[in-house]
Amino acid sequence: MARSSEVCRSNCPINFVLETFGDKWTLLIVRDLMFKGKRTYGEFLESDERISTNILADRLKRLEEHEIVEKTVAPDNRSKLIYSLTPKGKDLLPVMLEITAWSAKHDATTNTPNSFLDMFAAAKDKMMSAILSELE
Amino acid sequence: MARSSEVCRSNCPINFVLETFGDKWTLLIVRDLMFKGKRTYGEFLESDERISTNILADRLKRLEEHEIVEKTVAPDNRSKLIYSLTPKGKDLLPVMLEITAWSAKHDATTNTPNSFLDMFAAAKDKMMSAILSELE
DNA sequence: GGAGGTACTTGCATTTTGCAAGCATCTCGC
DNA sequence: GCGAGATGCTTGCAAAATGCAAGTACCTCC
């Protein structure tokens, strides 16, 4: 369904994700919703990466169209809109954790000081070796 | 090290990945190397998504700079170059598997063999067991 | 030494992004 | 009930990235 609204380059699962998240900004919005407790347009604008207003509006619209994010009116203030992750959006959690683990392993400047992450990465190493040996 | 060659927007691990893979093409090259057995410039050009020659050359160069991909001369033909994943590139496997699992769950049109998902599920079970046994 | 394979590079039109400014709707205090 | 502020966008335009077609450089093989 998501694919019907745009050009589809192939039926590969990796490509499917790229057609939604293949840019520098979309995944940051998911991150802010999932890990940083941000919920409004104004809060997304304040993130370190300094997304511009037109790009933010466009990406929120696309995320809604893909049913990854949904928008509701704040109960206490009708001029305030609350963005939140749908179940489909929340299902991205394992992807986000693997990305975080990879960055923590390969980038010294990344801020992810977490002892559980080390154990997580070590277990992943075993899994990766097992699968790679089967692929070769 | 990878970050020194370009603008760095923040020290977030999600952003770190986006600075390399935040476009529509880079991850497809990793996919072709990891799952499709492609190894040469000409083979990457033949993929379903139809990457153009200048973009492919640019992305291969960046992937080399980030030490995710390395290039060697083919032993049998000195005009042929063989691209392959470095250990850092192979470490992306868990990310790729989670992306594939997410797409398989949320896109009916995605072509993902069940055998592939089964292998992933089995490996993930092993991983979870490994984590649980370390916790005890 | 010429044809064909392999890996790019270049030029240019089109598309996307980044930045600054402006606009629309709602809320709150008086 | 009205003006100031909060919130969430939209618009216009310059700059950068992308897509396409064509051309170049090096190697191999006959």
Side-chain angles (χ1 to χ4, degrees):
Chain A
M1 181 195 254
R3 271 183 169 152
S4 61
S5 62
E6 61 199 44
V7 177
C8 172
R9 300 185 297 178
S10 74
N11 286 324
C12 164
I14 301 297
N15 181 59
F16 176 66
V17 160
L18 289 175
E19 282 171 6
T20 302
F21 299 101
D23 77 293
K24 293 227 183 289
W25 298 108
T26 305
L27 208 60
L28 293 180
I29 298 172
V30 174
R31 174 204 63 185
D32 285 350
L33 284 165
M34 192 174 276
F35 301 121
K36 304 212 168 186
K38 303 197 174 189
R39 295 178 306 158
T40 65
Y41 187 90
E43 286 173 340
F44 299 133
L45 280 182
E46 290 167 7
S47 288
D48 291 342
E49 295 85 4
R50 310 271 82 186
I51 190 169
S52 57
T53 58
N54 54 345
I55 301 293
L56 177 56
D58 176 75
R59 295 306 187 275
L60 285 170
K61 188 175 131 235
R62 291 191 199 186
L63 284 170
E64 276 191 274
E65 287 167 0
H66 286 290
E67 297 178 15
I68 288 157
V69 154
E70 60 192 356
K71 179 166 63 175
T72 58
V73 177
D76 58 320
N77 182 337
R78 288 209 302 131
S79 77
K80 197 170 186 174
L81 299 174
I82 304 295
Y83 289 92
S84 58
L85 290 171
T86 63
K88 183 177 176 181
K90 290 178 182 173
D91 279 347
L92 288 166
L93 177 61
V95 177
M96 302 297 273
L97 288 177
E98 292 293 357
I99 288 174
T100 302
W102 186 86
S103 291
K105 181 171 179 180
H106 293 287
D107 177 29
T109 69
T110 289
N111 288 327
T112 317
N114 190 330
S115 60
F116 184 82
L117 193 62
D118 293 339
M119 191 177 68
F120 183 70
K124 290 291 178 180
D125 278 346
K126 290 182 193 169
M127 173 187 115
M128 184 188 71
S129 301
I131 296 185
L132 276 178
S133 65
E134 286 185 45
L135 284 176
E136 282 166 3
Chain B
M1 182 197 251
R3 272 185 166 152
S4 60
S5 63
E6 62 200 44
V7 177
C8 173
R9 301 184 299 177
S10 74
N11 286 325
C12 164
I14 301 297
N15 182 60
F16 177 65
V17 160
L18 289 176
E19 283 171 5
T20 302
F21 299 101
D23 77 294
K24 294 228 183 286
W25 297 108
T26 306
L27 209 59
L28 294 181
I29 297 171
V30 173
R31 174 204 63 183
D32 285 350
L33 284 165
M34 193 174 276
F35 301 122
K36 305 214 168 186
K38 304 198 175 189
R39 295 178 305 158
T40 65
Y41 186 91
E43 286 172 341
F44 299 134
L45 279 183
E46 289 168 8
S47 288
D48 291 342
E49 294 85 5
R50 311 271 79 186
I51 191 170
S52 57
T53 57
N54 53 345
I55 302 293
L56 177 57
D58 177 75
R59 295 306 186 276
L60 285 171
K61 188 175 130 236
R62 291 191 199 186
L63 284 169
E64 276 190 274
E65 286 168 2
H66 286 289
E67 297 177 15
I68 288 156
V69 154
E70 60 192 355
K71 179 167 63 173
T72 58
V73 177
D76 58 320
N77 181 337
R78 287 210 304 130
S79 78
K80 196 170 187 174
L81 299 174
I82 303 296
Y83 289 92
S84 59
L85 290 170
T86 63
K88 183 177 176 181
K90 289 180 182 177
D91 280 349
L92 288 166
L93 177 62
V95 176
M96 303 296 275
L97 291 176
E98 292 293 357
I99 287 174
T100 302
W102 185 86
S103 291
K105 180 171 181 180
H106 293 287
D107 177 30
T109 69
T110 288
N111 288 327
T112 307
N114 282 328
S115 60
F116 193 88
L117 292 173
D118 290 344
M119 186 176 74
F120 176 48
K124 208 170 174 180
D125 282 346
K126 284 184 198 167
M127 182 197 85
M128 294 309 291
S129 301
I131 292 179
L132 286 173
S133 66
E134 286 188 45
L135 281 177
E136 283 164 3

